Amino acid sequence: MSRFFSDKYKTLTPYTPGEQPRDQKYIKLNTNESPFPPSPKAVAMTAEAAKNLQLYPDPECTELHEKLAALYGVDKSMVLAGNGSDEVLNFAFMAYCDKEHPARFANITYGFYSVFAEINGVPYTEVPLKDDFTIDVCDYISKNETIFIANPNAPTGIALTSLEIEAIVKSNPDNVVVIDEAYVDFGAESAVPLIKKYDNLLVTQTFSKSRSMAGARLGVAIGNAALIQDLNTIKYSTNPYNINRMTMAAGIGVLADEEYTKNNCNSIIENREYAMSRMRKMGFEMTPSLTNFIFAKHDNISGGDLYSELRKRGILVRHFSKPRLDAYNRITVGSMEQMVTLCDTLEEILKEI
Ligand code: PMP
């Protein structure tokens, strides 16, 4: 730390992204990326957009916002593209939280929420999940706080139903409820249809998982036009050109290829069920995942040891050394070939111990 660093950031613990190894070729199942390449339409449009990089991108993201609005069946004043959903989530912490509106989220959830709260000086409550890692809806009913729920949750993969989300949104009419749907395309119910009914609901989604665009950094917030206007005030006060030309083009390209996205999501669901069914036979305990990852533990081997054994054999997964999580590993669902290798390797490890 330099002697110039502002006091207000001195105690900040930044978010730790999953490893992006450069030393060796791993089967990379640690950061919930898609095993499939981006849509050929996205790739072609990105290459075309690169020819005009001397020009700033459209700060209003006009065409992308139109395509997003069409996707969600809302007006284009109800969507805002972000540099990853991380950016729109940070905007939401900036826009809707302060000392009078503290943040509330689960104690086991996306690790960035507490970092966003800290960097923005927002007080927050971390609500314990139940013993089975589910969210107790009652913990979020009629609270005078800004609520953040990852649905499905990470790293558990468990989702609330849209009825449960509606109960939370309805009971907090004077507070914003942010539903982070980063993993919604792999089987959970989206809260987007509720947006027309509730002016306090903001939904965020990402192009990083189901649309194979983690490297492009594209996310979106969907909500009532007034909420989106607030987020725009933050955007134009920090980074008006938050979506670069190539990412914008890639986003427009992949939205013209919904068939491709749907097929990939179906493959992930199929591969998840295949891997989970083999892992169940091996004695793994897993949460009921509706995402592109599996949260698993085994009584015969610790989470940390399983992580190391897999790594030695060229498979990278995510292990969190935190209470309640350290018995588990979070394993991204990859291609069928990767899942076959994963399961064969797990069988081998279990035989050896
Ligand atoms: N929310 C959750 C629950 C996530 O796991 C992630 C990805 N790490 C994000 C949001 C952010 O995704 P991105 O910024 O790539 O859109």
Side-chain angles (χ1 to χ4, degrees), residues 48-307:
E48 205 43 45
K51 294 179 186 161
N52 284 317
L53 284 183
Q54 76 280 17
L55 302 173
Y56 282 109
D58 170 15
E60 290 177 28
C61 305
T62 313
E63 191 181 349
L64 177 60
H65 282 169
E66 279 167 8
K67 298 281 164 20
L68 286 166
L71 176 72
Y72 297 117
V74 298
D75 188 78
K76 83 174 180 344
S77 61
M78 297 169 74
V79 296
L80 177 71
N83 191 313
S85 54
D86 281 340
E87 186 181 53
V88 283
L89 286 164
N90 186 36
F91 286 175
F93 273 88
M94 293 169 82
Y96 308 120
C97 301
D98 53 32
K99 293 202 169 54
E100 280 71 49
H101 305 88
R104 167 172 284 254
F105 43 84
N107 66 340
I108 295 173
T109 189
Y110 185 32
F112 227 140
Y113 298 160
S114 55
V115 181
F116 288 142
E118 294 281 347
I119 196 165
N120 293 303
V122 167
Y124 58 97
T125 305
E126 294 179 288
V127 186
L129 293 183
K130 291 198 275 189
D131 286 346
D132 61 357
F133 289 112
T134 56
I135 284 176
D136 188 341
V137 174
C138 299
D139 289 334
Y140 298 87
I141 296 291
S142 303
K143 300 291 168 193
N144 205 20
E145 293 174 335
T146 304
I147 292 169
F148 292 82
I149 295 178
N151 197 47
N153 198 9
T156 64
I158 303 172
L160 293 173
T161 64
S162 149
L163 273 177
E164 290 170 310
I165 296 290
E166 181 164 11
I168 294 170
V169 176
K170 197 174 177 176
S171 74
N172 290 283
D174 297 324
N175 291 281
V176 175
V177 177
V178 180
I179 305 298
D180 170 357
E181 296 187 344
Y183 300 103
V184 77
D185 294 331
F186 305 104
E189 284 180 291
S190 173
V192 167
L194 299 175
I195 278 167
K196 290 187 183 144
K197 212 163 150 191
Y198 299 98
D199 69 354
N200 61 324
L201 170 64
L202 188 80
V203 177
T204 63
Q205 291 193 6
T206 180
F207 280 47
S208 299
K209 321 288 175 187
S210 56
R211 294 194 162 78
S212 303
M213 276 178 46
R217 313 304 301 124
L218 185 62
V220 56
I222 313 116
N224 167 281
L227 289 180
I228 296 300
Q229 200 179 6
D230 300 337
L231 299 184
N232 265 309
T233 301
I234 309 277
K235 161 180 155 164
Y236 283 96
S237 307
T238 50
N239 188 9
Y241 302 113
N242 63 337
I243 312 296
N244 71 67
R245 274 183 177 271
M246 292 188 294
T247 296
M248 196 125 49
I252 294 164
V254 72
L255 288 175
D257 208 355
E258 273 298 275
E259 195 64 19
Y260 183 78
T261 298
K262 284 215 176 83
N263 287 339
N264 287 346
C265 290
N266 288 339
S267 300
I268 294 293
I269 293 170
E270 202 178 299
N271 301 351
R272 177 182 75 209
E273 298 313 310
Y274 165 84
M276 284 182 76
S277 125
R278 274 189 70 183
M279 287 171 71
R280 212 168 284 122
K281 286 186 196 132
M282 291 175 223
F284 277 95
E285 226 178 274
M286 290 161 287
T287 49
S289 171
L290 285 179
T291 60
N292 67 341
F293 56 84
I294 298 167
F295 190 55
K297 73 163 182 175
H298 199 288
D299 284 344
N300 299 352
I301 185 165
S302 74
D305 285 351
L306 183 62
Y307 166 86

